Each structure stands twice: as C-alpha cells, then as structure tokens.
Amino acid sequence: MLHDSKTIPQKGKARENKSWQAGWWDFQPLGERFLRPLEWSQSSIIFCAHPVQPLITARHFSSSKQFIISPPTHVVSAPTSYCPPSLISVAPSDDWLFAFFPGRHVEGMGVLWVRGPQIDNWTIKESWPIAHGAVPVAASWLGQAREWVSGITQGSTTRLPPRGPRPPVSDPTLLLVNQNQNITVCYLRQYVQSIRFLTCSTAQFTVTGEGQMPPADSSSTGIKQCFKAAIGLGYNEASVLIAMRSHYVPQPVNKSSHYNTIGPNLPEEIQSPSSIELRSMEWENWGEETVINLFEVQFLYNGERFGLSAEPLQPILGCGKPLIGLDFICLPPLLDVPDIPSPRRTNERPSFYLVSSYLDFENCNAPSIHTTACSDCLSDGSSPKSELVSHSITRLSTPGPLGRAWKIRMNASRSFTSGIVGYVLPPPVRSHLGQQDIIFTGILDTSGALPSAHTNIRRAPIGSTKVLNLADLTDHDEYEASPILCDVTRIGQDVPLNAVLSPNGVVLATISSSLWPLRTSVQSVPQIRALLDTPEHRLLPLAPSLAESIISGRASTDISHLLSLSSTPFEDTLETIYQADKILDDQSSDFSHSSTLGVLGTMVEIYRERAMAAKGSTSTEDLTARWKTAHELCSLVACNQAFDDCKEGDTYDLDAVWQLVSLSTWIVSLTESLLKECVMSSNLDSNDAEKGNNGSVSITSPPLDSPILLHISHPFFLDNFVMALSHVQKFCAYVKSLTARGETAQIALDITVDLINNSVFDISALIATLEQTRQELLSRIIRSLTQPSILTKATLFIKPHELVDGLGNLSIAPKKDTDKDVISKKSINGIVASMICSQCKGKTALANDLSIGGSVPLPWRAWEKKWAIRCICGGRWKNNTTVL
C-alpha cells in the first residue's frame, strides 16, 4: 500500500513526514483484474459488493445509511460456498438489477431482482446456476429509453436516437458476455413468468434461435477464457459490438491422475490423457492473447421466435501488454451546434471508439525489506508502466462482401510515466459544450506530498481526473482537471481503482481497493474553463444538467448536492435554478406542468439541505420558508387533482368525504398562514407611508419577498390557489345542502360547516378579490386581501384553543405539519409511516392504505395510486419503520 516516506530522525526531535511513495504492489489489483463492481442507478442508489460476504450493499446518495439487497435463500443458507458478487449491473430504467455470485467448489449463481415502489425494495425475480466456465464478465441492458440533452441555445432540448437494438416483445433484456466466449441473452417475454436464455458462440459465424444449443468449443490444447469484455451499443445502430480479450489456461487435472499411488515414473502409454495433453502444450502459449477480438451481434425476430447471430470482425493485433481496461465510447449523432469547429464535421465520423488500458509489471523490482522506508526506495523502472490506446470503429457506407463492413483504425497511444491509469469513463452527452469526442481518465500518482500536521487539511490529492481527446489522447485544453482526494489519515488504504459517474454526470464515485473496511467516496469531475456565453447571460454548467434530469425523470440528487454545498455561492444556486426553469419554460406546453413541479421538487431538496447546513445562522429561517413554500405549491396541485378525481359533475363522492375534509382543512390552514403574512406586510407598508408623510426619518420596509407570497404573485400558482379555494367552497356547500342520516354523517356535516362558518376569512369574498386583482401589483393585492370585509384580524393571530390553559396538549388541539401525512394531509400520530420521501423527507402511510380492501372509495384509491412510486414533490420513496 501507499506508505509514508520517513527520514532519519534528528537527535532529540523527530522530523515530520513530508511525502508518500507508492510501490508497484499498490496497483497489483489492476493487474490481477480483481476490481469490486460499482454501480450508480438513475434513482441515485450506489450499489457495491460486500467485502467478504455474498451480499450487495446499497445506499441512497448522499445518505450514509446502507441497506442490503437480499440474495437467494440457498446463498444465504451457505454463505461460505459463495464469494461476493463479481458483476453488478442495474438497468437504465432503474427497475431491474443483476448480479453474479461466484461459487467456491460449487456452481456460481446469477440473480435477477425487480424493484418495488420504494427504491430500497428489491425482490428476487429469478435465480439460476452458472457453470464455472460460463462466468459472465460483462453485462448490458437492451431497449434503453432515449436520452434527453439540452441544446446550445437557451431553451432548446433534443432527444437522442435509441441506442442498440430494441427487442419487440421482451422486457427486460440482458446481454451477457461469458468467460467461455459465448454470448447469452436473458429475457422475459411478455405474458411469460419465467426467464428465458438464448446463447450464441463467437468461435465462428453462428446463428442460433430459441431452443437451439450453441456449437461446442473445439479447443483441445487448453482452455481459452475471456477475462475482459466490453459491449458497445451505438446510436441508431441495430447491431451490438463486442470486444474481448482472452487468455489460455491449462485444463484442470484429474485428481486421480495427479496423485498417482503407484509412482510418478509410469510408462507414457499408461499415463492419463490429460497429462499427455498438458505435456504437449507449450508453456509459452499460456497466458494472454496478443489480440483483441471484435464481434458483431444481431438480434433476429420472425414474429414468433427470437434469434441471435454473432459474426467475428477484424481483430486488433499487436496488443501484447497486460490489459486492465476495455471500454467502448459510443458517439451520439451530431446535433445542431453551430460555430463550433470539430474534426468530426469534415472527416469520416466514427461510430465507436474502443479505449484499452494496459499496465506492465515486467520491470518492477521486488520490494526490499527495510526497518524504515526511505524516500528513494523506488528506483527508476520499479513502478509499473501504464499505457492508453484508442481505436476508432467506423461503419462503412458501402457494405462489404458479407453485407456489413466496419473500418477499424488505431488512432493514438499514450504512455504515462508519472502516473497510473486507474479508470476510464465515458462522459455524459453535453451538446451545450460542443459535443467533443472526449473521455474522463483517472490518473493515480505514484508519489506526493503530505499536508503538514499543523494545518486543518483533511483530504489530500492522490491523483486527478483528466479529460483526454479521443482522437489523439492528448489533454483537452478547455477542461480543468479535477483532483482525486483521499482522507489524509487513510492515504495508502483507499486507492481508488474503480469509478462510476453519477446519473447526471456531475460527480463520480470511487471505491477503495482495501479489503476492509469498504469505502466509497464522491469526487468532482473536470469542468470546462470557459463556459459558453449566450447573448442574454452566462450559462452555468449545472443548469442544462438540471433541465435534462427533470425532463428525463432522473433523480437530481447529485445536482442538488452540489448546489446545496456551502462552498457554492447562493447566488449561483438561484441562477442555476432560474436558468434550468427557463430552459424548460421555453419548451412546448407538453412539459410546462410536469417540469414546473420538477423544478419545485428540486428547490425543496436544495433549500432543505442548505437550511440544515446553515442551522443557527440568520439564513436558516429564510431557507426553511423557501422549501416549505415550494412543498406547499406541489401539495396544492395534488389536492386539486384529488378534488377533480372525486368530483361527479357538480357534486362530490360522499364515500370520500373524510379524505376531502382532511384536504379542505389543510387548504384553510395554508390560507390563514398566507393571510397572516399579508397582514404583516400591509402593516409595514402603511407604517412606512405614514412616517414618510410626516417628514420623519422612515425605516425602509423590507421588500415583499416572503416565499409564501408566491401563492398570489405567480400566475400559475395563483390559478392553483384559487382553484383549491373554489373546490373547498363547492365541497362544503354541497355537504351543507345534504341531510345527515346518521351519526357519522352528522359529524362530517358539522365539521364541514364549522370549517367555513367559523373561519377567520370569507372564502367567497377572498376568491372574488383574487380574481379581480389578478393583474394588479402584489402590494395592491395584499391591501385588498386584508380588508375587514374579507378577514377578521383579531382571530387570525389568536386561536380560541390558545386561550385555554392546557388545551394545546390535548388530542383535540390542531396537529403540527410534522404529524400529517404528506399525501393525504391527515394526522398519522401513532401510525407507522410505511414510506419516507428521499427528497422532502415527508412521511406517509400510503402503502398501508393501499393494502386495505374495498373500504376506500375507488376515485380516492385511484388518486392515491398516482403517488405509489413518487411523492408529490417528485422524490422517490424509501422504506420507513419509524413510529411517529
């Protein structure tokens, strides 16, 4: 591992360590190809393998709480028979998860999970044994949804073409590349409960269909195993490209022939065939091949059955060094990006880039044993040599003899003398940055300086993530490299050898190479130096990413995390939200409603995180008011939908009377809070006017920027607020017009009548005033709403229950917002809230309600099911077991 470089201490005083030095053994996991799998899902769940047990650990970013993905029963019952998963893959749709558990002296196990309503609720859909020779080494999901990207001009967005083939009658469809060089497709056909498999060999041109067995491998001198593979899914491309690197290993020896009880010097004619076969095989043939094999895979469908074909392509020769990484970089089609020079506009445009990384330990010296480590313990040539190679793969316009032709050309090779290539990541598609052909490359340092113990520096750089041009692998001069940071106390124990980008590509996660404890850390990504300027204003880098995540329905937690950091200026946070909303607002009306709610949900998360970080400061109150107002705006939209669903012409479904009473009570309470702010703002405004008229020195009143006033100042939110008040007025009037025929009906009637008659405001006059003053200035609207004909100020600020000692502690006292269900707005005091929102942290017992039988009216049940997957703020649900 990395270790401190120590100098000989002076007499009577120890000298402080000033640097660290790496040994070749620190990077040995790369050469051994033992890298822990790491995945980051679209719902912002980070999956990784447990260090020693056959388990998958997961956590929601940026929470520190982990949960376990339960393996099959036979894996749980025999944990010592299985290793931690060597391959984890989550579907882009975020509802399927695959993992392979290698077996110890038993067959391995492939497991497929399906996600439930909560992001931490995964159940096993299917599990199946996998033989030792058919271990999967790479996985990819077919039928991915099309990606949204923002354009170079403000407000323009583009939907990219589909990637790879789209299976017509199966979901999910998982493509696996196996160790025996076979390709296996695991799929669930529609209306079929059990999973199906389709396997095709790559030894030669092969076509196979459902129910057929692949041809057997004819290799007899040894076992050819694939140890590294990459799967390329191109845009507007019906074929799948697969790259493989294999090595030869000797066939396993039969124990009965290996341990001969008679003697080792037997005649050759009676020796076992396996020993003759091993003797005939030359030792120099064992090990890695010097080529990278390429294959084109096509999916066939005749309207009834699936088929699969694999055709070998021209291999890449001269790859004799030890391979540690193989990645396809799929290039999107050129979008409308004017005035940006690019070689792809003039030259023949490749469809893929294949990037391979190598690490050579041949010249590394064995470590010497010293009582103290010296600063020059690693002599020249003792560190491994790292190299990166780029190949372009282009589909020819004129088909070849077999109907398909690809041009494969080596573009560049680059050796790194002062660092080791740890990981290579494809960048997110960013059309507003010019769509450059680039890659993110993590370069790990072999030595560095330690921060002084007298400083407060907690994290020190151990490398950097750079942006390289794919065409020549040179550093991109428009991007600033981002440091790879490590805890100062753990330098040498957390060497990140594997990384994955966040769903929106704004941060990346790395995983430590140490066996225990397992640590994942979040690192920054390179940023462009000169941001693109538009004639109107400067475009901030996170604004297009935020707009894309809202349109695509991806979790924006990684973006919210960056915008809520104390190191991010609050002005930049506000400008980023504004620019993202402007991009969405300039879209067609199809996105106007959902995108507005998406921006509000992001605001809830950002302002809430900032309020928690600023606890105790002067800005806490303002930030808290901001996120609560944004959440109230989302709640009003949901309440209006509930009233519309339970409405039958001019009447309402009385079977849902109690549910609608809870919503009406919440709307009335919100209106009272709004009117309180209007009264306080109008008093300040009138006091300032009086002081100014008397000629005295007036204290300028604060601007009308209270967040709750957004309900009456923004046209969209004003419409929703007026609509909600109208629903309450009509609902209460309808209930009041009925004759109660039972005790329950009489109680509902009394509560509804009291809600309106005993309110501090006249709901009819309030609605009429809001409609008449819709086009007025906010200050005039506030003065109109605080007139005695609308509002009774005396009872607005002092409630009757507050005048009675001890009444506030009784159950009849109004409940706080924290005691209310975030969906139904009813009290859940003492009820187990089954779910908690990952964005606003609101709790609900919705899962409990959905499990009830026919006692819930159907219109209300249909409205509740709208929120079974997401909260009203747009956040994803998590399981919750807290008793409120």
Side-chain angles (χ1 to χ4, degrees):
M1 63 180 179
L2 301 179
H3 51 274
D4 298 338
S5 296
K6 300 180 180 180
T7 57
I8 301 176
Q10 296 178 351
K11 184 177 181 180
K13 183 179 179 180
R15 182 178 297 178
E16 182 183 359
N17 299 331
K18 295 183 179 180
S19 63
W20 56 266
Q21 187 79 42
W24 61 265
W25 51 92
D26 296 315
F27 307 100
Q28 188 62 23
L30 287 173
E32 295 176 350
R33 309 177 190 94
F34 179 71
L35 300 178
R36 292 189 180 87
L38 186 65
E39 287 283 302
W40 200 330
S41 70
Q42 299 293 315
S43 58
S44 201
I45 297 290
I46 300 177
F47 300 91
C48 59
H50 192 277
V52 293
Q53 300 181 25
L55 299 173
I56 298 178
T57 61
R59 67 179 180 93
H60 182 262
F61 179 78
S62 56
S63 172
S64 59
K65 297 181 179 179
Q66 290 187 344
F67 60 93
I68 300 297
I69 307 297
S70 301
T73 305
H74 40 275
V75 175
V76 177
S77 59
T80 58
S81 299
Y82 294 91
C83 301
S86 61
L87 179 63
I88 300 175
S89 180
V90 60
S93 58
D94 202 38
D95 51 359
W96 297 97
L97 177 68
F98 170 79
F100 170 72
F101 296 89
R104 296 188 179 103
H105 310 297
V106 297
E107 291 184 330
M109 187 64 59
V111 188
L112 183 67
W113 290 268
V114 60
R115 184 174 62 82
Q118 302 85 29
I119 57 178
D120 53 354
N121 179 14
W122 294 86
T123 57
I124 297 175
K125 177 65 177 180
E126 195 93 20
S127 62
W128 61 95
I130 297 179
H132 288 290
V135 172
V137 295
S140 183
W141 302 84
L142 305 181
Q144 303 177 11
R146 296 171 62 187
E147 305 170 64
W148 283 97
V149 295
S150 59
I152 186 171
T153 57
Q154 184 75 3
S156 64
T157 58
T158 305
R159 201 174 188 185
L160 295 178
R163 289 185 60 184
R166 299 186 63 86
V169 292
S170 64
D171 183 36
T173 307
L174 176 64
L175 177 65
L176 301 175
V177 179
N178 304 325
Q179 199 175 53
N180 57 6
Q181 302 181 85
N182 287 345
I183 299 169
T184 300
V185 178
C186 316
Y187 59 97
L188 281 171
R189 293 199 62 162
Q190 297 175 359
Y191 310 107
V192 177
Q193 296 298 322
S194 60
I195 194 169
R196 295 186 177 183
F197 302 93
L198 188 61
T199 303
C200 181
S201 174
T202 60
Q204 55 186 355
F205 178 75
T206 308
V207 178
T208 184
E210 288 182 304
Q212 299 180 3
M213 295 297 294
D217 189 0
S218 59
S219 174
S220 60
T221 59
I223 301 178
K224 185 179 180 180
Q225 294 181 345
C226 170
F227 66 87
K228 184 67 70 173
I231 302 175
L233 302 178
Y235 293 92
N236 272 335
E237 182 58 60
S239 300
V240 178
L241 292 189
I242 295 178
M244 292 186 190
R245 181 68 177 267
S246 304
H247 59 180
Y248 281 97
V249 296
Q251 292 186 359
V253 180
N254 194 320
K255 290 185 178 180
S256 60
S257 61
H258 185 67
Y259 299 100
N260 197 303
T261 57
I262 301 177
N265 299 321
L266 291 177
E268 184 173 338
E269 59 271 12
I270 63 174
Q271 289 185 10
S272 63
S274 61
S275 62
I276 300 175
E277 196 171 45
L278 286 174
R279 180 183 300 178
S280 62
M281 182 178 180
E282 297 182 357
W283 285 87
E284 56 267 19
N285 291 333
W286 297 353
E288 291 189 32
E289 288 186 315
T290 59
V291 299
I292 296 177
N293 295 305
L294 296 175
F295 306 92
E296 180 182 3
V297 178
Q298 288 188 321
F299 286 79
L300 312 175
Y301 182 66
N302 61 1
E304 180 181 0
R305 293 185 178 183
F306 271 123
L308 195 65
S309 70
E311 177 183 355
L313 301 179
Q314 173 188 351
I316 299 176
L317 305 176
C319 307
K321 297 181 180 179
L323 180 77
I324 61 171
L326 198 59
D327 301 273
F328 270 113
I329 309 298
C330 306
L331 303 181
L334 288 174
L335 305 178
D336 184 17
V337 186
D339 302 329
I340 292 183
S342 174
R344 290 162 55 185
R345 296 186 176 275
T346 56
N347 301 337
E348 190 177 36
R349 179 171 175 264
S351 304
F352 302 89
Y353 279 95
L354 181 64
V355 180
S356 53
S357 52
Y358 304 87
L359 191 61
D360 190 1
F361 290 89
E362 183 177 356
N363 296 326
C364 294
N365 300 326
S368 303
I369 301 177
H370 298 282
T371 55
T372 59
C374 61
S375 59
D376 57 350
C377 62
L378 288 178
S379 60
D380 295 338
S382 62
S383 60
K385 303 300 181 183
S386 183
E387 185 181 3
L388 206 61
V389 181
S390 171
H391 288 82
S392 62
I393 304 177
T394 308
R395 178 183 287 279
L396 299 179
S397 56
T398 303
L402 298 178
R404 292 190 179 273
W406 298 85
K407 178 183 178 182
I408 304 169
R409 183 176 67 89
M410 178 178 174
N411 282 23
S413 174
R414 178 177 176 180
S415 298
F416 296 85
T417 57
S418 59
I420 304 295
V421 176
Y423 51 83
V424 173
L425 298 173
V429 180
R430 292 287 184 263
S431 61
H432 63 283
L433 296 181
Q435 290 183 264
Q436 302 101 329
D437 297 345
I438 56 176
I439 53 171
F440 291 166
T441 307
I443 310 297
L444 301 174
D445 296 334
T446 56
S447 62
L450 287 173
S452 175
H454 303 290
T455 63
N456 295 325
I457 299 177
R458 298 182 179 180
R459 305 183 73 189
I462 59 173
S464 61
T465 302
K466 296 183 177 181
V467 176
L468 305 183
N469 296 298
L470 280 169
D472 52 12
L473 296 180
T474 57
D475 292 351
H476 200 293
D477 54 3
E478 295 182 5
Y479 283 84
E480 188 75 32
S482 60
I484 301 175
L485 301 178
C486 177
D487 195 327
V488 173
T489 61
R490 301 191 60 84
I491 286 184
Q493 303 178 35
D494 289 332
V495 182
L497 301 180
N498 196 8
V500 62
L501 277 175
S502 64
N504 298 291
V506 295
V507 293
L508 59 88
T510 59
I511 190 170
S512 62
S513 59
S514 58
L515 183 62
W516 187 268
L518 183 66
R519 293 179 180 269
T520 57
S521 62
V522 177
Q523 310 286 347
S524 60
V525 297
Q527 297 294 335
I528 194 167
R529 288 190 176 95
L531 295 176
L532 183 63
D533 292 335
T534 62
E536 295 80 11
H537 54 271
R538 188 168 65 96
L539 187 63
L540 295 180
L542 293 179
S545 303
L546 180 57
E548 293 167 9
S549 68
I550 293 174
I551 294 180
S552 304
R554 295 192 302 263
S556 58
T557 310
D558 51 346
I559 302 175
S560 301
H561 170 74
L562 295 179
L563 294 178
S564 59
L565 293 175
S566 58
S567 58
T568 303
F570 190 57
E571 293 75 13
D572 288 355
T573 299
L574 296 178
E575 184 64 22
T576 298
I577 297 175
Y578 169 77
Q579 291 181 4
D581 184 62
K582 185 67 167 58
I583 294 174
L584 298 171
D585 189 57
D586 291 343
Q587 296 300 316
S588 61
S589 58
D590 297 338
F591 300 114
S592 59
H593 181 71
S594 59
S595 61
T596 301
L597 298 180
V599 173
L600 288 175
T602 304
M603 294 168 63
V604 169
E605 187 173 22
I606 294 173
Y607 293 149
R608 189 180 183 278
E609 292 296 328
R610 276 190 170 267
M612 295 179 62
K615 192 173 183 180
S617 63
T618 56
S619 61
T620 303
E621 184 177 353
D622 176 67
L623 291 170
T624 302
R626 287 173 182 265
W627 79 259
K628 286 186 175 181
T629 299
H631 197 275
E632 291 165 354
L633 295 171
C634 297
S635 297
L636 278 179
V637 175
C639 291
N640 288 330
Q641 293 177 359
F643 277 106
D644 290 337
D645 291 347
C646 296
K647 192 175 182 180
E648 300 175 353
D650 295 333
T651 64
Y652 293 88
D653 186 4
L654 291 180
D655 293 334
V657 61
W658 290 112
Q659 290 87 345
L660 297 180
V661 165
S662 297
L663 298 184
S664 301
T665 304
W666 180 84
I667 294 174
V668 170
S669 177
L670 172 63
T671 306
E672 292 179 355
S673 300
L674 173 62
L675 293 176
K676 286 182 181 179
E677 185 64 33
C678 291
V679 171
M680 297 174 63
S681 300
S682 63
N683 288 340
L684 289 173
D685 184 66
S686 60
N687 291 339
D688 289 342
E690 293 176 1
K691 292 180 180 180
N693 295 333
N694 296 334
S696 59
V697 179
S698 63
I699 302 175
T700 304
S701 62
L704 301 176
D705 59 352
S706 177
I708 197 172
L709 297 179
L710 198 61
H711 289 286
I712 57 176
S713 60
H714 191 281
F716 175 75
F717 302 136
L718 177 59
D719 290 340
N720 278 281
F721 182 57
V722 173
M723 185 184 300
L725 291 175
S726 301
H727 276 304
V728 173
Q729 181 189 27
K730 295 177 182 179
F731 170 70
C732 293
Y734 174 68
V735 175
K736 185 178 180 180
S737 65
L738 301 177
T739 302
R741 299 182 180 181
E743 182 179 359
T744 303
Q746 185 63 45
I747 295 175
L749 177 61
D750 294 340
I751 293 177
T752 306
V753 172
D754 291 342
L755 188 64
I756 297 299
N757 294 345
N758 297 333
S759 176
V760 299
F761 60 90
D762 187 335
I763 190 170
S764 300
L766 179 60
I767 294 175
T769 302
L770 290 174
E771 291 286 358
Q772 294 173 2
T773 60
R774 183 180 295 271
Q775 304 296 331
E776 299 289 340
L777 297 175
L778 179 58
S779 58
R780 296 182 180 180
I781 297 176
I782 290 176
R783 284 196 293 269
S784 301
L785 296 180
T786 54
Q787 297 300 317
S789 59
I790 298 178
L791 178 63
T792 305
K793 297 182 181 179
T795 56
L796 177 63
F797 291 91
I798 302 177
K799 299 298 181 182
H801 71 271
E802 296 176 352
L803 301 176
V804 181
D805 294 338
L807 186 62
N809 297 327
L810 300 180
S811 60
I812 61 176
K815 303 299 179 183
K816 297 180 180 180
D817 290 342
T818 55
D819 299 330
K820 293 185 179 298
D821 192 299
V822 70
I823 300 296
S824 64
K825 307 302 180 185
K826 64 183 180 181
S827 175
I828 53 175
N829 188 33
I831 303 176
V832 176
S834 57
M835 299 186 297
I836 180 173
C837 177
S838 61
Q839 189 163 265
C840 69
K841 309 305 178 186
K843 299 182 177 68
T844 182
L846 179 62
N848 300 336
D849 296 339
L850 293 179
S851 62
I852 302 176
S855 60
V856 180
L858 292 180
W860 181 264
R861 175 56 54 85
W863 177 79
E864 283 186 327
K865 287 186 176 180
K866 293 180 180 179
W867 317 111
I869 303 297
R870 291 176 179 263
C871 177
I872 56 176
C873 70
R876 311 289 182 108
W877 294 115
K878 297 190 296 184
N879 286 312
N880 181 66
T881 57
T882 305
V883 179
L884 303 179

